[in-house]
Amino acid sequence: MINFNFKLSKWLMPALMVGLLGVVACDPEEDEEQLELSRMFMPAGDIQAKSGETNVELSWKASINTDPSTTTYTVEVAKDTLFKTPVVLSAQIDTTAITFTDKQLEIKENYFARVKTNAKGNTPESKWLVSSRFRIRGEQIFATVLTTEVKDKTAILRWRPTVGLTKIILTPAGGTGTEIVLTPEQLSANAITLTNLTATTAYTAEIFAGTVSKGITTFTTKEPSIYTYTVSPGSDLVAVVASAANGDVIGLEAGVYDASIANILIAEKYITLRSVSGNPNDTKIYFKEITLKGTGAGVRINGIEFDGKNPAGEVTGDYFLNIDATAGTLSSITVENSNIHDLKSTFLRANRGASGGSQKIDFIKVINSVVSKNAISNYQTFMLDKLELNRLEVTNSTFNEAGRGFISYATAFTPATKPTFFIDKVTLNNFGSGGRDNILFDGTSIVVDFTMQNSIIANSPKPGQTVGASAIRAGAGSTVEFKYNNYFKLEGGAILAPLTFSSIVTQSNNKTIDLGWTAATTDFTLPAGSELRTSGIGGTALGDPRWVK
């Protein structure tokens, strides 16, 4: 018996082991085959999401090894990437794209989608392909709030014509919202004047059509107008500024002032020149130059027209702002709600320091202003070489017939801190001359943060002039972004060709729509219905907001 059993074991055990191994190996192979099939028939690539104001379009590549004419997909949407929360939407389609509207998904809410290829015949359904986060951004019909239309107790809000608007909810920071029912007059004007506001307070306004949000905007009311003293037309502004103390706020009554013979010198002090009306159309200064000199020097200008011609019509304005060669740490420069025109040299000269870093300044800001009629000269609009600054900020402004380039920071040195250059909602037309290269920004080898966005740039070089082939230069290690802009007729090089952007520039969401502007254009109003009215970040208009009417 023992031998018999041994013989059976000898002959049967190998066969039995093979059989057992076959059984054990069968399931993993089938599972692997099923897994490979599932993966093979999954939608290919990534799920792309194109978010709009009122909808979002999801798209993906067709599954490989399938017949597109007979392939269908299941799409599911939930609020978490693992789909542990209930599925919000589910659909079966026979295309590789689907659009969801604000009637199906809440605006400004984050969602995730997953897509699978459905089973067909003997072919099983695929694994799920899961998207990144997406949202419907919501409509933004509000125009950018103009600083000229915000006072200490009032503000004007404007919006693009929209059917069915009913109310605005206005909420102060940290406070409770107030509902304002829109009147027929306000709906007809596409605007509302808010009253009884609190000074120096941040507000959020949201506009609705019934219960559907159509846009959100924010603004901050100004401080009450308090002047150290006011002056009247005919006053000697050169003498007034010379005798002013550090921190003085000088109010200019409406009218005309003549400072076209001598420079307005601001030495080792910070002063404010501000029209009492807040309106540059009724307060004018004929000027030669505003000179800043020495440690502590700085200026804030608000609500004034600066005319570079004298009363006889002769151009006397050399520089609008000129930082003297004296070494030192200046305070800051702010120009807002002003109109500066007819310049022999340039808007701002700040390259006179003996060496890089011998002159320092905290910030330079230009806000809601127009600079125009800069003669062909040897200076960029912002001539900042060798100046150590923390930040240049240019927003909601127009520069027409500008300098030989826009911003120059082209003398190599190592600033103590990395400077920031931020350009937002600017209209820049007819600039570039003298064979200059990198006419949008020249930062040579300096490491900087540079952003230009929501802007329209056109027509370079000036008629009869030449510029180099490159648009922007900065040092290795810089962060340089050029995004959500529209540009056209920007050419350079020995044989005119479109300006080039080096690899250091990160570009995104830019357009090249020719608006028909020339060097002679002075009205930059965006055409009704133009896609540029909603092409900016968050669906806002491109360029200086004053041209969105």
Side-chain angles (χ1 to χ4, degrees), residues 514-525:
D514 191 333
L515 292 167
W517 299 350
T518 68
T521 300
T522 57
D523 183 351
F524 304 104
T525 302

Side-chain angles (χ1 to χ4, degrees), residues 327-329 353-360 385-388 409 413-416:
T329 300
S355 60
S358 64
Q359 291 184 326
K360 300 178 175 63
D385 299 38
K386 298 183 287 185
L387 177 67
E388 188 166 307
Y409 205 53
F413 74 106
T414 305

Side-chain angles (χ1 to χ4, degrees), residues 69 78 122 165 236 356 370 463 501:
S69 66
N122 294 325
L165 299 178
D236 183 347
V370 177
F501 291 84

